[in-house]
Amino acid sequence: MSFKGKVIVLRRLVVGDEDLLVKVYGWGGLMNMLVKEGALPSSRYVSIFEPFNVLELSYRQVGEIILPLDVSKVRYLSYLALESYERYMWMCHLGNFFLRWVRYYDQQLFDLFLFYLSAKVRNTKVFLIRFKLEVLKAMGLYKEELFEEDLRRAVRDIKRGSRLFLERMRLNQQLAEKIERAIEDQLKESF
């Protein structure tokens, strides 16, 4: 029996000489997908299962592993990472945060992740905090009072600021690290 779904590729690993083990986020939350012969240069999947690509596929499930049967549509976001090292690092930070803290599927989180993966930003420090705050809100974990008093104004500004405001916002490293720690503390309490 086969099913259809949409996933974002987060990570891939060559297993053996020719197979790929791919970590994806989609209809079942975080999932492992085994792509037989996916690492071979002659494979039809050679460029499809790259990190950040969005796939619509048919699959079958065997225990905890998803086996792709056919890929019907691909949105190649992996090519955005080739634009610059900064863009690549931006996308990696988003993916790593998602891998660490998001387990279950939620359409709002899926759309949020796609939006930020596609976004071209220069002030990555501020936009990464904005992304994390929006993930907290989508997960129902955002509470302003959990941030220390000295952080609340900056958090409010980041959360409510326009794109132009956020691109121009200057945030010192110490304040950014304190906000990041407070976000991580909120997430740790929920797990």
Side-chain angles (χ1 to χ4, degrees), residues 41-164:
S42 60
S43 170
R44 64 185 174 143
Y45 295 132
V46 74
S47 67
I48 293 174
F49 287 94
E50 290 292 325
F52 317 122
N53 285 345
V54 182
L55 315 173
E56 288 183 28
L57 52 87
S58 57
Y59 65 93
R60 69 185 175 94
Q61 189 164 349
V62 179
E64 296 289 317
I65 301 290
I66 305 296
L67 301 171
L69 301 173
D70 189 32
V71 177
S72 58
K73 192 173 179 182
V74 181
R75 185 171 168 199
Y76 289 97
L77 295 182
S78 59
Y79 290 114
L80 296 176
L82 297 175
E83 187 178 289
S84 67
Y85 178 73
E86 290 77 20
R87 182 74 182 259
Y88 169 74
M89 290 306 296
W90 161 250
M91 295 172 83
C92 285
H93 285 304
L94 295 173
N96 288 336
F97 180 79
F98 227 74
L99 275 168
R100 183 168 182 201
W101 296 111
V102 179
R103 295 286 174 260
Y104 301 102
Y105 179 74
D106 180 283
Q107 185 65 46
Q108 186 179 1
L109 288 171
F110 188 92
D111 294 341
L112 185 67
F113 188 43
L114 268 182
F115 175 78
Y116 277 90
L117 276 177
S118 303
K120 184 175 182 175
V121 299
R122 290 187 309 272
N123 196 354
T124 55
K125 179 174 26 177
V126 172
F127 276 95
L128 188 58
I129 291 172
R130 169 81 168 253
F131 169 72
K132 292 176 180 183
L133 291 171
E134 288 190 34
V135 167
L136 277 179
K137 184 178 178 192
M139 295 172 85
L141 301 174
Y142 178 80
K143 294 177 185 159
E144 194 171 291
E145 62 271 6
L146 293 178
F147 291 97
E148 293 176 18
E149 190 64 41
D150 62 330
L151 303 178
R152 288 184 189 166
R153 180 176 174 175
V155 168
R156 259 187 250 117
D157 288 347
I158 293 170
K159 193 168 177 298
R160 297 179 185 148
S162 69
R163 184 179 176 111
L164 182 61

Side-chain angles (χ1 to χ4, degrees), residues 174-185:
Q174 184 181 9
L175 187 59
E177 287 172 3
K178 284 176 81 174
I179 293 171
E180 295 265 2
R181 273 194 303 275
I183 291 170
E184 296 254 335
D185 290 343

